[in-house]
Amino acid sequence: QVQLVESGGALVQPGGSLRLSCAASGVTLDYYAIGWFRQAPGKEREGVSCISSRDVRAYYLDSVKGRFTIVRDVAENTVYLQMNNLKPEDTALYFCGTKERYCSSWSSDYQYWGQGTQVTVSS
């Protein structure tokens, strides 16, 4: 049974940093693309970042480029999203999802999801 567990969300001041984790069981993440999505109240889920299988490519939403970094730890079977210089508009519930091989910006393409972790950026 595939299970994804996100963690690392918190309340942080603007300009602060967080590292989100997406830990997997029942699947070897190295063979899959892992996408981070977020959903703010009243808004649709949007893709934030994705890393393709075997780390061939990484993708970022334009508004997070230069601030967020996605990293895969094969030994830990975990994918991290390092978020720096956080802004209030980054406030959302963050989810990780898996799909085979290649990244997609469509959340409907992902087969498995975690329960989400809340990120709140506020002074």
Side-chain angles (χ1 to χ4, degrees):
Q1 182 178 358
V2 177
Q3 187 175 18
L4 302 178
V5 178
E6 302 96 333
S7 62
L11 170 63
V12 63
Q13 292 186 345
S17 297
L18 286 173
R19 188 179 75 160
L20 304 185
S21 301
C22 174
S25 59
V27 64
T28 301
L29 288 185
D30 195 34
Y31 301 140
Y32 291 83
I34 308 301
W36 280 99
F37 287 73
R38 66 187 181 188
Q39 189 164 18
K43 295 187 177 181
E44 294 187 355
R45 190 173 294 194
E46 67 174 352
V48 175
S49 181
C50 182
I51 188 165
S52 64
S53 66
R54 304 301 178 97
D55 299 351
V56 174
R57 291 196 67 177
Y59 300 85
Y60 298 93
L61 184 67
D62 283 346
S63 63
V64 308
K65 284 180 181 177
R67 300 189 296 122
F68 290 11
T69 303
I70 190 168
V71 175
R72 187 197 310 263
D73 186 325
V74 174
E76 295 294 327
N77 209 29
T78 298
V79 172
Y80 300 98
L81 185 68
Q82 177 66 44
M83 306 189 298
N84 298 327
N85 190 22
L86 283 161
K87 303 177 180 182
E89 52 263 42
D90 295 319
T91 295
L93 187 61
Y94 284 70
F95 300 87
C96 64
T98 66
K99 67 177 296 294
E100 292 184 357
R101 299 184 70 184
Y102 304 117
C103 288
S104 170
S105 60
W106 299 99
S107 60
S108 58
D109 289 339
Y110 291 75
Q111 287 92 26
Y112 300 103
W113 292 93
Q115 81 292 343
T117 186
Q118 179 66 41
V119 172
T120 303
V121 185
S122 175
S123 55

